Amino acid sequence: MAGTNGKQKTARSMVLSLGVIVLAGLVMWAFIPHDDKEPDLPRVDYRVELLTARRAAPYPVAAPEGLPEGWKATSVRYRGADSDTWHLGFHLPDGAYVQVQQSTGKPAAFIDEAAQGATATEATEEIDGRTWTRYEGGRYDALVLKDTDGTKGATTVVAGTGSFGELTKMATALEMS
């Protein structure tokens, strides 16, 4: 019976060690933050970039006027060297995202990139005297205003995860100057 006592001590030591490890894991878990909500995206002030783009771009640059209070501008950029591309993105209160993009680049490639793979439909919307084409599918849905005399060679895309109602609200709010 000399061997039984040694086996009992080994099993007891393993159980105690396992208990210490579980206790240490629980203590570490308790001190790690567990915030599962979406991070609060900072609001960006796009006025300076908008003025810069309006001076530099060869087309009337679009920016919204009078959007609902909860719509928060979260991204803005103008790239003159990249086909005079203008981007302005908004985070909506329901978590959706809506962006405005304009470019003088090749329309097909620009629309595919801005609309994240959405394809043209037969549906159009008349907004402020301009005909916008609906694009659906892909990652985003979109409203696209192709090159017209008023846009001086630029294509305008309003796209995002928002509903077509929200995309239309953005397109309606756009002031092009």
Side-chain angles (χ1 to χ4, degrees), residues 101-129:
Q101 288 202 52
Q102 289 179 288
S103 177
T104 57
K106 293 183 179 181
F110 171 68
I111 293 167
D112 187 55
E113 182 181 333
Q116 299 283 313
T119 55
T121 67
E122 298 294 319
T124 60
E125 290 191 37
E126 196 71 26
I127 301 171
D128 292 333

mmCIF file of all heavy atoms in Angstrom, residues 101-129:
data_model
loop_
_atom_site.group_PDB
_atom_site.id
_atom_site.type_symbol
_atom_site.label_atom_id
_atom_site.label_comp_id
_atom_site.label_asym_id
_atom_site.label_seq_id
_atom_site.Cartn_x
_atom_site.Cartn_y
_atom_site.Cartn_z
ATOM 1 N N GLN A 101 -19.371 60.818 -52.687
ATOM 2 C CA GLN A 101 -18.084 60.799 -53.367
ATOM 3 C C GLN A 101 -18.262 61.383 -54.755
ATOM 4 O O GLN A 101 -19.287 61.161 -55.396
ATOM 5 C CB GLN A 101 -17.529 59.372 -53.469
ATOM 6 C CG GLN A 101 -17.061 58.836 -52.133
ATOM 7 C CD GLN A 101 -16.067 57.710 -52.299
ATOM 8 O OE1 GLN A 101 -15.078 57.841 -53.019
ATOM 9 N NE2 GLN A 101 -16.327 56.608 -51.635
ATOM 10 N N GLN A 102 -17.244 62.122 -55.181
ATOM 11 C CA GLN A 102 -17.228 62.693 -56.530
ATOM 12 C C GLN A 102 -15.851 62.489 -57.124
ATOM 13 O O GLN A 102 -14.852 62.496 -56.404
ATOM 14 C CB GLN A 102 -17.534 64.189 -56.487
ATOM 15 C CG GLN A 102 -18.963 64.522 -56.137
ATOM 16 C CD GLN A 102 -19.170 66.020 -56.100
ATOM 17 O OE1 GLN A 102 -18.701 66.685 -55.191
ATOM 18 N NE2 GLN A 102 -19.869 66.541 -57.108
ATOM 19 N N SER A 103 -15.814 62.351 -58.436
ATOM 20 C CA SER A 103 -14.534 62.177 -59.112
ATOM 21 C C SER A 103 -14.679 62.462 -60.593
ATOM 22 O O SER A 103 -15.750 62.306 -61.165
ATOM 23 C CB SER A 103 -14.029 60.747 -58.913
ATOM 24 O OG SER A 103 -12.818 60.553 -59.614
ATOM 25 N N THR A 104 -13.555 62.851 -61.196
ATOM 26 C CA THR A 104 -13.502 63.016 -62.643
ATOM 27 C C THR A 104 -12.879 61.792 -63.299
ATOM 28 O O THR A 104 -12.639 61.786 -64.496
ATOM 29 C CB THR A 104 -12.680 64.267 -63.031
ATOM 30 O OG1 THR A 104 -11.363 64.133 -62.473
ATOM 31 C CG2 THR A 104 -13.342 65.534 -62.543
ATOM 32 N N GLY A 105 -12.621 60.748 -62.513
ATOM 33 C CA GLY A 105 -12.041 59.512 -63.032
ATOM 34 C C GLY A 105 -13.017 58.771 -63.927
ATOM 35 O O GLY A 105 -14.160 59.183 -64.127
ATOM 36 N N LYS A 106 -12.571 57.638 -64.460
ATOM 37 C CA LYS A 106 -13.420 56.832 -65.330
ATOM 38 C C LYS A 106 -14.672 56.430 -64.555
ATOM 39 O O LYS A 106 -14.582 55.790 -63.502
ATOM 40 C CB LYS A 106 -12.675 55.600 -65.813
ATOM 41 C CG LYS A 106 -11.535 55.943 -66.740
ATOM 42 C CD LYS A 106 -10.844 54.710 -67.260
ATOM 43 C CE LYS A 106 -9.722 55.147 -68.197
ATOM 44 N NZ LYS A 106 -9.022 54.007 -68.767
ATOM 45 N N PRO A 107 -15.856 56.790 -65.049
ATOM 46 C CA PRO A 107 -17.093 56.565 -64.297
ATOM 47 C C PRO A 107 -17.320 55.122 -63.858
ATOM 48 O O PRO A 107 -17.671 54.887 -62.707
ATOM 49 C CB PRO A 107 -18.189 57.034 -65.247
ATOM 50 C CG PRO A 107 -17.521 58.043 -66.120
ATOM 51 C CD PRO A 107 -16.114 57.535 -66.288
ATOM 52 N N ALA A 108 -17.116 54.156 -64.730
ATOM 53 C CA ALA A 108 -17.411 52.762 -64.372
ATOM 54 C C ALA A 108 -16.561 52.304 -63.194
ATOM 55 O O ALA A 108 -17.075 51.715 -62.234
ATOM 56 C CB ALA A 108 -17.199 51.850 -65.569
ATOM 57 N N ALA A 109 -15.279 52.556 -63.239
ATOM 58 C CA ALA A 109 -14.383 52.141 -62.158
ATOM 59 C C ALA A 109 -14.683 52.912 -60.877
ATOM 60 O O ALA A 109 -14.705 52.341 -59.782
ATOM 61 C CB ALA A 109 -12.933 52.344 -62.563
ATOM 62 N N PHE A 110 -14.921 54.216 -61.000
ATOM 63 C CA PHE A 110 -15.207 55.037 -59.827
ATOM 64 C C PHE A 110 -16.511 54.601 -59.158
ATOM 65 O O PHE A 110 -16.572 54.453 -57.933
ATOM 66 C CB PHE A 110 -15.276 56.518 -60.211
ATOM 67 C CG PHE A 110 -15.771 57.386 -59.098
ATOM 68 C CD1 PHE A 110 -15.004 57.581 -57.960
ATOM 69 C CD2 PHE A 110 -17.013 57.989 -59.175
ATOM 70 C CE1 PHE A 110 -15.470 58.374 -56.914
ATOM 71 C CE2 PHE A 110 -17.489 58.778 -58.144
ATOM 72 C CZ PHE A 110 -16.709 58.977 -57.014
ATOM 73 N N ILE A 111 -17.563 54.381 -59.945
ATOM 74 C CA ILE A 111 -18.853 53.967 -59.382
ATOM 75 C C ILE A 111 -18.723 52.614 -58.699
ATOM 76 O O ILE A 111 -19.233 52.416 -57.591
ATOM 77 C CB ILE A 111 -19.950 53.935 -60.477
ATOM 78 C CG1 ILE A 111 -20.247 55.345 -60.968
ATOM 79 C CG2 ILE A 111 -21.211 53.267 -59.958
ATOM 80 C CD1 ILE A 111 -21.079 55.409 -62.241
ATOM 81 N N ASP A 112 -18.014 51.683 -59.317
ATOM 82 C CA ASP A 112 -17.840 50.357 -58.720
ATOM 83 C C ASP A 112 -17.133 50.454 -57.370
ATOM 84 O O ASP A 112 -17.520 49.793 -56.405
ATOM 85 C CB ASP A 112 -17.054 49.451 -59.667
ATOM 86 C CG ASP A 112 -17.006 48.024 -59.170
ATOM 87 O OD1 ASP A 112 -18.085 47.447 -58.916
ATOM 88 O OD2 ASP A 112 -15.895 47.482 -59.017
ATOM 89 N N GLU A 113 -16.110 51.300 -57.292
ATOM 90 C CA GLU A 113 -15.384 51.461 -56.033
ATOM 91 C C GLU A 113 -16.227 52.186 -54.990
ATOM 92 O O GLU A 113 -16.336 51.749 -53.849
ATOM 93 C CB GLU A 113 -14.086 52.229 -56.266
ATOM 94 C CG GLU A 113 -13.266 52.395 -55.000
ATOM 95 C CD GLU A 113 -11.985 53.181 -55.249
ATOM 96 O OE1 GLU A 113 -11.470 53.170 -56.378
ATOM 97 O OE2 GLU A 113 -11.515 53.802 -54.288
ATOM 98 N N ALA A 114 -16.848 53.294 -55.368
ATOM 99 C CA ALA A 114 -17.631 54.087 -54.421
ATOM 100 C C ALA A 114 -18.877 53.351 -53.942
ATOM 101 O O ALA A 114 -19.284 53.480 -52.785
ATOM 102 C CB ALA A 114 -18.026 55.426 -55.046
ATOM 103 N N ALA A 115 -19.503 52.580 -54.824
ATOM 104 C CA ALA A 115 -20.728 51.854 -54.476
ATOM 105 C C ALA A 115 -20.436 50.440 -53.982
ATOM 106 O O ALA A 115 -21.361 49.664 -53.758
ATOM 107 C CB ALA A 115 -21.662 51.803 -55.678
ATOM 108 N N GLN A 116 -19.165 50.110 -53.826
ATOM 109 C CA GLN A 116 -18.735 48.825 -53.273
ATOM 110 C C GLN A 116 -19.367 47.627 -53.993
ATOM 111 O O GLN A 116 -19.902 46.725 -53.370
ATOM 112 C CB GLN A 116 -19.045 48.756 -51.779
ATOM 113 C CG GLN A 116 -18.359 49.803 -50.948
ATOM 114 C CD GLN A 116 -16.896 49.483 -50.701
ATOM 115 O OE1 GLN A 116 -16.570 48.378 -50.348
ATOM 116 N NE2 GLN A 116 -16.034 50.465 -50.918
ATOM 117 N N GLY A 117 -19.348 47.666 -55.324
ATOM 118 C CA GLY A 117 -19.815 46.530 -56.107
ATOM 119 C C GLY A 117 -21.293 46.504 -56.424
ATOM 120 O O GLY A 117 -21.774 45.538 -57.012
ATOM 121 N N ALA A 118 -22.041 47.536 -56.065
ATOM 122 C CA ALA A 118 -23.470 47.577 -56.410
ATOM 123 C C ALA A 118 -23.613 47.694 -57.927
ATOM 124 O O ALA A 118 -22.737 48.226 -58.607
ATOM 125 C CB ALA A 118 -24.150 48.745 -55.720
ATOM 126 N N THR A 119 -24.730 47.213 -58.447
ATOM 127 C CA THR A 119 -24.958 47.277 -59.889
ATOM 128 C C THR A 119 -26.168 48.149 -60.206
ATOM 129 O O THR A 119 -27.107 48.249 -59.410
ATOM 130 C CB THR A 119 -25.177 45.864 -60.486
ATOM 131 O OG1 THR A 119 -26.232 45.227 -59.784
ATOM 132 C CG2 THR A 119 -23.917 45.029 -60.370
ATOM 133 N N ALA A 120 -26.150 48.740 -61.381
ATOM 134 C CA ALA A 120 -27.214 49.652 -61.798
ATOM 135 C C ALA A 120 -28.537 48.907 -61.941
ATOM 136 O O ALA A 120 -28.577 47.755 -62.356
ATOM 137 C CB ALA A 120 -26.849 50.323 -63.113
ATOM 138 N N THR A 121 -29.617 49.604 -61.602
ATOM 139 C CA THR A 121 -30.960 49.081 -61.804
ATOM 140 C C THR A 121 -31.651 49.967 -62.835
ATOM 141 O O THR A 121 -31.099 50.973 -63.278
ATOM 142 C CB THR A 121 -31.769 49.091 -60.495
ATOM 143 O OG1 THR A 121 -32.004 50.458 -60.112
ATOM 144 C CG2 THR A 121 -31.048 48.344 -59.384
ATOM 145 N N GLU A 122 -32.865 49.608 -63.175
ATOM 146 C CA GLU A 122 -33.657 50.434 -64.092
ATOM 147 C C GLU A 122 -34.277 51.627 -63.366
ATOM 148 O O GLU A 122 -34.746 52.573 -64.002
ATOM 149 C CB GLU A 122 -34.759 49.588 -64.731
ATOM 150 C CG GLU A 122 -34.231 48.436 -65.579
ATOM 151 C CD GLU A 122 -33.485 48.918 -66.814
ATOM 152 O OE1 GLU A 122 -33.944 49.891 -67.452
ATOM 153 O OE2 GLU A 122 -32.430 48.329 -67.127
ATOM 154 N N ALA A 123 -34.287 51.591 -62.051
ATOM 155 C CA ALA A 123 -34.953 52.629 -61.253
ATOM 156 C C ALA A 123 -34.119 53.910 -61.214
ATOM 157 O O ALA A 123 -32.898 53.866 -61.094
ATOM 158 C CB ALA A 123 -35.199 52.127 -59.836
ATOM 159 N N THR A 124 -34.805 55.028 -61.333
ATOM 160 C CA THR A 124 -34.157 56.332 -61.204
ATOM 161 C C THR A 124 -34.967 57.188 -60.245
ATOM 162 O O THR A 124 -36.132 56.901 -59.969
ATOM 163 C CB THR A 124 -34.056 57.058 -62.563
ATOM 164 O OG1 THR A 124 -35.379 57.248 -63.082
ATOM 165 C CG2 THR A 124 -33.213 56.275 -63.548
ATOM 166 N N GLU A 125 -34.331 58.216 -59.736
ATOM 167 C CA GLU A 125 -35.016 59.176 -58.870
ATOM 168 C C GLU A 125 -34.717 60.576 -59.365
ATOM 169 O O GLU A 125 -33.584 60.893 -59.710
ATOM 170 C CB GLU A 125 -34.541 59.028 -57.418
ATOM 171 C CG GLU A 125 -35.009 57.766 -56.772
ATOM 172 C CD GLU A 125 -34.761 57.754 -55.272
ATOM 173 O OE1 GLU A 125 -34.894 58.821 -54.636
ATOM 174 O OE2 GLU A 125 -34.432 56.687 -54.761
ATOM 175 N N GLU A 126 -35.746 61.380 -59.404
ATOM 176 C CA GLU A 126 -35.601 62.777 -59.804
ATOM 177 C C GLU A 126 -35.448 63.590 -58.519
ATOM 178 O O GLU A 126 -36.364 63.681 -57.708
ATOM 179 C CB GLU A 126 -36.841 63.222 -60.587
ATOM 180 C CG GLU A 126 -36.661 64.487 -61.365
ATOM 181 C CD GLU A 126 -35.737 64.323 -62.580
ATOM 182 O OE1 GLU A 126 -35.624 63.211 -63.109
ATOM 183 O OE2 GLU A 126 -35.145 65.326 -62.972
ATOM 184 N N ILE A 127 -34.250 64.185 -58.320
ATOM 185 C CA ILE A 127 -33.968 64.964 -57.119
ATOM 186 C C ILE A 127 -33.436 66.316 -57.555
ATOM 187 O O ILE A 127 -32.385 66.403 -58.196
ATOM 188 C CB ILE A 127 -32.944 64.243 -56.207
ATOM 189 C CG1 ILE A 127 -33.472 62.865 -55.803
ATOM 190 C CG2 ILE A 127 -32.635 65.082 -54.981
ATOM 191 C CD1 ILE A 127 -32.458 62.001 -55.092
ATOM 192 N N ASP A 128 -34.161 67.357 -57.210
ATOM 193 C CA ASP A 128 -33.772 68.728 -57.553
ATOM 194 C C ASP A 128 -33.451 68.893 -59.040
ATOM 195 O O ASP A 128 -32.460 69.519 -59.410
ATOM 196 C CB ASP A 128 -32.580 69.187 -56.705
ATOM 197 C CG ASP A 128 -32.944 69.346 -55.243
ATOM 198 O OD1 ASP A 128 -34.128 69.612 -54.946
ATOM 199 O OD2 ASP A 128 -32.043 69.190 -54.388
ATOM 200 N N GLY A 129 -34.268 68.297 -59.885
ATOM 201 C CA GLY A 129 -34.097 68.449 -61.321
ATOM 202 C C GLY A 129 -33.000 67.589 -61.924
ATOM 203 O O GLY A 129 -32.686 67.730 -63.103
#
